[in-house]
Amino acid sequence: MSAKLIQGNEAVVYGAIKAGLKFFAGYPITPSTEIAEMCARDLPKVGGVFIQMEDEISSIAACIGASLGGFRAMSATSGPGFSLMQENIGYAIMAEVSVIIVNVQRMGPSTGIATAPSQSDYMQVRWGTHGDHPMVSFAPFSVEECFTEVVRAFYWSERISSVVVLLLDEVVAHMREGIDIDNIKDVVQIPERGPFPEEKEGYRPYRVEIDKGAKLPPLGTGYRFNVTGLVHDELGFPVENPEKTEFLIKRLHNKVDAVEDEITSYDERYTEDAEVIVISYGSVARSSLRAVRELRKNNVRVGFFRPITVWPFPSKRVRELSKNVKNIIVAEMSMGQMVLEVRRSIVENCNVTLIQGIKGELITPDIIYNTVNEVISK
Amino acid sequence: MIGELVKRYLRMDRLPHMWCPGCGHGIALGALLRAFDRVKIDKDRTVILSGIGCASRVVGYLDFSTVHTTHGRALAFATGLRLVRDDVKVIVIMGDGDALAIGGNHFIHACRRNIDITAIVLNNQIYGMTGGQSSPTTPQSMLSTTTPYGNFARAFDFCNLAIGAGATYVARATTYHVSLMTELYASAIKHHGFSFVETFTQCPVNYGRRNKFPDPASMLKYMKDISVPFKVAQNMGSDELQGKIVIGELIKEKEDVELNKVVRERIMKFRGGAQ
Ligand SMILES: Cc1ncc(C[n+]2csc(CCOP(=O)(O)OP(=O)(O)O)c2C)c(N)n1
Ligand code: SF4
């Protein structure tokens, strides 16, 4: 096949099917609806099932059910729907069920502006569900990356046996680019679940080392364990024992910490001689890249850094970079959320300037261009 | 005989159970075990899900693949599971608050979709687990911790709701009518499509105590007195049926259409008939 002009949302579906998606449950919401519509059309062709549920609460619940049944499952939503999913996101984390949630960020709070882009769910992705928990999230900035990152989301979701959020914004979701899906390189192969022991009696799915994810065989295949959102023991039965509780909560975090270096990915350009670095993700990073290239033409020593893995935030690399520059500029379509992670990561004598985008429109390259010039001339 | 069934279907190491003395949930569990025996259920090919509440704790004791989900959402979890796995029986056990308050929307849509799931609701007309707050099935004027002057709202009729929403098997029993309960559970499990059995049960601790039932036995007797078998109810006027509950099979559609089948058949078409 040759290159085709497709949308970010479409690329997500192509990628998900490539990754072995077999179940999609969702509820329509702008700007993520195309994902549901395409799944409705294309999933049956590969032997998968699509269902439109009564709301987003049941959508993620159905996905968890399908995943427990042994099939790769995904839902897609935006702001209000993502808020409704939070309780069951916590359930999937606690019960260690792999499931993919695509959140196409739009302007909030509440119904906000349905068609306006935003990046103000950044912290919600991390902390939206209650309780101590880890979170993994990837944020593509191009149509091709929508494809590759959803595949990577499935890969990691299977490996850590948990939720992974693919974080888009309205611009990335609706933007069209020409991509040749059949010739995308470096698409990761996703491991099958298991192997599971032949002896099914007394199998303990949660009996794993302190830095590993649970190993859940499909339900109804002879392994008669219990799955619960309560604190549980190795068999999945509720316990209120302090040691077991501590072990479980630590393990849920450790299993992500242990692979953090492997999960972390970012796009870094022009940083070697940079005096100032622009940090942004998703669609805003496209504006940043444009601004940085223009500035470079004028011999401004500006660098570009874009987290692709937005959670865990690539703190180590940002800290390294902060040692060699006096200024970091963070541009994001929010009052300032990722900037908090940047501030947490950097060394003391590096300044951070924030470009806020709260108008419901993309931050343009010239705003970034001008801000870099201002910061440098100070 | 029940001793044998207990050993066959329960996780012996999880016992004793957490229910209060006199609680009706255990009676319903007993009937369920008998129904399992009657339909010769395959423990390895059956998944039992529940929500949150005293009733939902039942999954912890059943020696099957079990999923204790979130409050009210068990049917939604079950829908996803059943759609991808037509090789397993899926049974969902819920409380009345679980299935009708927080889970009400999922309940009506599960009825409408008619996916092959058996839903059993243990209706004790109160929130047992959280200590006796009113539920959507608490009768008018009755007392609970959140209706200390009497419940002003009317109670839902669970079965009529299920029928209206399109469930293809709807039945009702009480913990007084153990053999009827067993029979209904068994036919619900055998039914293809969405089957629903409401079971009136007693919560002596959080409902009975506040509402002038001196002991569990008086609650059972009350359930006996207000129950009218479906056939008898057919010849009774609505005045006569005031304050009564109709028990037995209320609806049993023979037609064997369920959503799974329709979905599967379409998929097979795409694949040109090959699996
Ligand atoms: C989202 C959410 N809200 C509230 C609760 C607290 N809660 C636990 S059980 C329950 C009610 C249980 O009543 P019912 O479903 O009738 O079952 P019973 O305990 O009477 O068997 C409530 C409100 C919860 N677990 N989750
Ligand atoms: S509180 Fe009520 S429903 Fe819960 S176990 Fe006790 S008697 Fe049963």
Side-chain angles (χ1 to χ4, degrees):
Chain A
M1 206 173 90
S2 52
K4 238 173 68 176
L5 201 59
I6 64 166
Q7 229 185 27
N9 276 345
E10 285 178 80
V12 167
V13 178
Y14 286 129
I17 288 177
K18 171 95 181 171
L21 179 71
K22 283 291 179 302
F23 184 81
F24 183 99
Y27 190 84
I29 186 165
T30 306
S32 73
T33 308
E34 295 86 0
I35 298 178
E37 288 172 339
M38 248 186 90
C39 284
R41 190 190 70 195
D42 289 353
L43 263 187
K45 299 181 191 169
V46 295
V49 178
F50 166 89
I51 186 164
Q52 180 173 325
M53 294 299 287
E54 52 273 19
D55 55 28
E56 290 83 352
I57 299 174
S58 49
S59 297
I60 175 169
C63 286
I64 297 171
S67 179
L68 284 169
F71 292 85
R72 294 202 179 118
M74 177 173 94
S75 187
T77 189
S78 298
F82 192 58
S83 293
L84 284 185
M85 288 185 177
Q86 293 304 325
E87 185 193 12
N88 281 333
I89 287 179
Y91 182 91
I93 291 170
M94 189 61 147
E96 298 184 68
V97 185
S98 51
V99 49
I100 302 299
I101 305 298
V102 185
N103 178 21
V104 183
Q105 295 178 92
R106 67 183 228 187
M107 188 82 197
S110 189
T111 328
I113 305 176
T115 52
S118 172
Q119 295 179 321
S120 50
D121 303 350
Y122 181 81
M123 282 295 173
Q124 187 191 18
V125 169
R126 178 66 188 87
W127 301 109
T129 194
H130 61 279
D132 280 322
H133 60 275
M135 181 50 77
V136 173
S137 177
F138 304 126
F141 93 139
S142 67
V143 172
E144 178 165 325
E145 239 179 44
C146 284
F147 183 97
T148 52
E149 289 306 304
V150 76
V151 178
R152 214 159 65 95
F154 273 99
Y155 172 86
W156 280 109
S157 164
E158 290 292 333
R159 258 193 70 181
I160 62 172
S161 203
S162 192
V163 177
V164 173
V165 174
L166 186 75
L167 190 62
L168 270 58
D169 58 65
E170 190 275 336
V171 176
V172 172
H174 284 158
M175 153 175 96
R176 287 177 188 275
E177 288 182 302
I179 66 167
D180 183 356
I181 286 189
D182 298 327
N183 288 312
I184 293 177
K185 290 190 192 71
D186 306 325
V187 179
V188 281
Q189 285 300 311
I190 298 164
E192 288 303 318
R193 290 183 196 167
F196 302 105
E198 291 210 349
E199 178 53 50
K200 297 182 174 179
E201 209 60 40
Y203 175 66
R204 294 165 187 259
Y206 299 97
R207 179 182 216 159
V208 278
E209 286 159 44
I210 183 112
D211 60 355
K212 292 285 181 327
K215 287 197 165 298
L216 273 67
L219 297 179
T221 55
Y223 300 90
R224 298 193 305 274
F225 56 94
N226 187 49
V227 180
T228 180
L230 291 167
V231 169
H232 47 271
D233 62 14
E234 296 174 337
L235 278 157
F237 290 108
V239 282
E240 286 178 6
N241 164 313
E243 282 72 39
K244 287 185 177 166
T245 304
E246 186 183 25
F247 183 87
L248 175 62
I249 299 301
K250 277 208 172 138
R251 187 171 64 72
L252 293 180
H253 286 83
N254 287 354
K255 71 176 177 181
V256 175
D257 294 347
V259 290
E260 185 174 336
D261 288 344
E262 228 184 307
I263 289 183
T264 304
S265 65
Y266 47 79
D267 173 4
E268 183 183 323
R269 313 184 198 193
Y270 314 110
T271 51
E272 264 166 39
D273 63 343
E275 287 171 17
V276 49
I277 293 175
V278 180
I279 300 182
S280 50
Y281 74 98
S283 61
V284 176
R286 297 175 77 93
S287 295
S288 302
L289 191 57
R290 172 85 188 273
V292 167
R293 284 183 176 144
E294 292 299 318
L295 288 156
R296 279 275 162 185
K297 281 187 200 155
N298 301 339
N299 298 321
V300 179
R301 295 202 338 228
V302 55
F304 169 87
F305 186 83
R306 172 175 72 95
I308 301 172
T309 306
V310 286
W311 292 111
F313 183 74
S315 271
K316 278 187 216 157
R317 185 60 196 149
V318 169
R319 187 170 180 82
E320 281 306 307
L321 291 171
S322 74
K323 288 178 183 162
N324 301 320
V325 295
K326 272 205 235 77
N327 283 292
I328 283 176
I329 295 169
V330 176
E332 55 179 325
M333 286 186 285
S334 77
M335 284 292 284
Q337 298 193 9
M338 189 177 70
V339 69
L340 301 172
E341 288 304 299
V342 172
R343 289 212 172 100
R344 249 155 47 96
S345 310
I346 58 176
V347 295
E348 238 173 59
N349 37 20
C350 175
N351 290 317
V352 176
T353 306
L354 170 67
I355 303 175
Q356 285 175 335
I358 48 168
K359 292 183 180 158
E361 50 191 35
L362 183 61
I363 298 175
T364 54
D366 50 306
I367 296 175
I368 298 165
Y369 184 98
N370 293 339
T371 310
V372 173
N373 275 333
E374 274 165 36
V375 163
I376 278 187
S377 59
K378 250 188 224 159
Chain B
M1 147 113 155
I2 189 78
E4 202 183 292
L5 298 183
V6 163
K7 277 191 213 136
R8 198 185 314 155
Y9 296 122
L10 294 191
R11 292 164 166 152
M12 297 304 288
D13 54 341
R14 312 312 307 175
L15 300 173
H17 60 69
M18 51 77 74
W19 296 312
C20 311
C23 176
H25 291 347
I27 301 178
L29 174 59
L32 189 63
L33 301 191
R34 292 185 188 93
F36 285 165
D37 182 48
R38 204 170 288 181
V39 302
K40 298 284 167 263
I41 203 146
D42 182 348
K43 287 206 307 186
D44 289 334
R45 294 286 174 277
T46 303
V47 183
I48 307 180
L49 302 94
S50 72
I52 299 285
C54 296
S56 294
R57 280 301 183 103
V58 68
V59 295
Y61 311 125
L62 287 163
D63 188 19
F64 289 76
S65 270
T66 51
V67 191
H68 183 224
T69 71
T70 43
H71 192 30
R73 321 298 177 196
L75 282 170
F77 280 71
T79 300
L81 173 68
R82 189 63 182 81
L83 282 176
V84 291
R85 289 289 298 280
D86 42 15
D87 59 326
V88 293
K89 272 253 163 260
V90 176
I91 299 171
V92 178
I93 301 169
M94 298 165 284
D96 44 298
D98 199 44
L100 255 199
I102 193 162
N105 202 26
H106 311 311
F107 180 78
I108 58 177
H109 287 280
C111 293
R112 171 178 72 84
R113 289 190 187 104
N114 196 29
I115 296 175
D116 191 16
I117 293 171
T118 297
I120 294 173
V121 172
L122 305 185
N123 178 6
N124 56 14
Q125 302 163 287
I126 199 82
Y127 284 13
M129 177 147 273
T130 41
Q133 301 76 25
S134 73
S135 111
T137 55
T138 304
Q140 220 166 9
S141 84
M142 296 310 258
L143 301 179
S144 75
T145 60
T146 47
T147 54
Y149 310 111
N151 179 24
F152 68 83
R154 285 171 298 174
F156 248 128
D157 183 326
F158 239 126
C159 288
N160 276 348
L161 182 71
I163 293 168
T168 49
Y169 181 99
V170 177
R172 187 188 279 127
T174 83
T175 43
Y176 177 83
H177 303 89
V178 174
S179 56
L180 175 69
M181 194 175 18
T182 306
E183 192 186 310
L184 297 180
Y185 287 171
S187 13
I189 294 169
K190 280 195 276 184
H191 179 78
H192 294 281
F194 189 80
S195 54
F196 168 58
V197 185
E198 175 185 17
T199 308
F200 266 80
T201 172
Q202 74 278 13
C203 169
V205 173
N206 281 317
Y207 185 78
R209 230 168 15 118
R210 277 189 193 92
N211 288 292
K212 303 207 176 76
F213 288 104
D215 52 29
S218 63
M219 299 181 83
L220 285 166
K221 179 165 183 310
Y222 176 74
M223 286 194 273
K224 172 185 172 228
D225 292 343
I226 61 165
S227 296
V228 180
F230 181 66
K231 282 223 177 85
V232 178
Q234 296 303 86
N235 301 317
M236 287 167 73
S238 53
D239 282 358
E240 281 177 290
L241 282 171
Q242 273 294 321
K244 303 280 185 196
I245 55 171
V246 181
I247 57 171
E249 273 174 358
L250 309 188
I251 269 213
K252 183 180 188 175
E253 282 181 21
K254 289 210 182 63
E255 218 188 340
D256 191 5
V257 263
E258 43 136 327
L259 188 77
N260 291 44
K261 269 203 165 159
V262 180
V263 171
R264 289 279 146 208
E265 275 159 17
R266 293 225 181 101
I267 292 172
M268 294 296 271
K269 252 198 216 156
F270 273 119
R271 289 176 175 165
Q275 182 65 47

